[in-house]
Amino acid sequence: MGTARDLMIVAMDGATSRLVTQGDLSLGLAGAEVFDLLAVEAVALEDDRLVPRLTPPLDDPLLEVAAAGLMRDKPYETVEDWLWRRGRGLAERYLTVLTEEGLVARPRASWLPFRGTAGPTPVDSPARQRARDRRAADEPVLTTLAAAVGARDDAPEDLAVPHGAAQIVFAAVVGAVTELDAVRRRRAVENAAFANVWRGA
């Protein structure tokens, strides 16, 4: 448990050739929450659908909200639908909670992407060290999610990625991030075309 928090810290703490966007990270955090909920058996995965179970006591308020938000009526929710619904604005919510807990120093007027001198920064803490240790050890789940959202450049080729449910979640995150990137590119093209028309008017 704690994958979502670790991913958030890694995204703020790392240095890659890509910028971590709010949308990509939010989708990754929603995917990380699925792993955290699977780990405590608050949810099971049947095909690609999230089947809620009895939620055990949790010591993470963000994960408690995630568990409470699971769809409890059949046919239940697909992982992909969960990513888009739960992921909306999720990075900012994590940033707010981690800041309130004193785990992140957040300068005024900061915003995502996270890296840069004006961005929020994790403070030295056991939580930061745990995230760094998992990153340094190339822990498969965190490494794969971080690579998917741009918080690290690539996952090692010999990474032992879990199979089964993990593959379904990873595929959904990669697919959602790819779709979001396509939407951004399409909007950029449309905006450029509109600007050219406006200048030519």
Side-chain angles (χ1 to χ4, degrees):
M1 200 166 71
T3 301
R5 285 171 170 262
D6 290 347
L7 178 61
M8 186 72 185
I9 291 172
V10 165
M12 291 185 285
D13 215 12
T16 67
S17 60
R18 294 168 54 189
L19 288 177
V20 182
T21 68
Q22 183 184 24
D24 290 351
L25 182 56
S26 292
L27 292 168
L29 289 169
E33 287 183 337
V34 173
F35 281 107
D36 290 339
L37 292 171
L38 286 168
V40 298
E41 299 183 348
V43 71
L45 206 57
E46 293 184 4
D47 295 324
D48 65 340
R49 295 190 177 273
L50 298 168
V51 180
R53 293 181 171 175
L54 184 64
T55 303
L58 301 172
D59 58 1
D60 184 339
L62 287 160
L63 201 58
E64 285 183 349
V65 173
L70 291 166
M71 294 293 187
R72 299 188 177 274
D73 296 321
K74 293 184 177 181
Y76 304 118
E77 191 171 32
T78 65
V79 176
E80 181 181 3
D81 288 344
W82 164 266
L83 296 180
W84 290 111
R85 181 175 65 84
R86 172 65 180 164
R88 191 174 294 112
L90 191 57
E92 186 63 25
R93 276 176 271 161
Y94 266 83
L95 181 58
T96 297
V97 171
L98 293 182
T99 301
E100 291 172 347
E101 292 177 354
L103 299 175
V104 172
R106 185 177 184 181
R108 290 184 179 180
S110 65
W111 188 245
L112 310 182
F114 291 114
R115 289 188 292 277
T117 56
T121 306
V123 302
D124 288 333
S125 66
R128 186 184 195 184
Q129 190 59 52
R130 181 187 67 181
R132 283 181 164 181
D133 289 345
R134 289 182 72 182
R135 180 182 61 191
D138 288 330
E139 191 277 324
V141 171
L142 180 62
T143 296
T144 304
L145 288 171
V149 303
R152 63 176 293 160
D153 286 321
D154 292 297
E157 293 183 2
D158 60 347
L159 187 69
V161 179
H163 296 286
Q167 288 288 0
I168 294 173
V169 179
F170 288 144
V173 171
V174 171
V177 169
T178 301
E179 183 178 345
L180 183 58
D181 184 57
V183 170
R184 284 194 295 258
R185 291 176 184 273
R186 186 167 61 249
R187 287 177 178 172
V189 170
E190 291 171 350
N191 290 339
F194 176 80
N196 288 335
V197 170
W198 185 82
R199 283 196 296 267

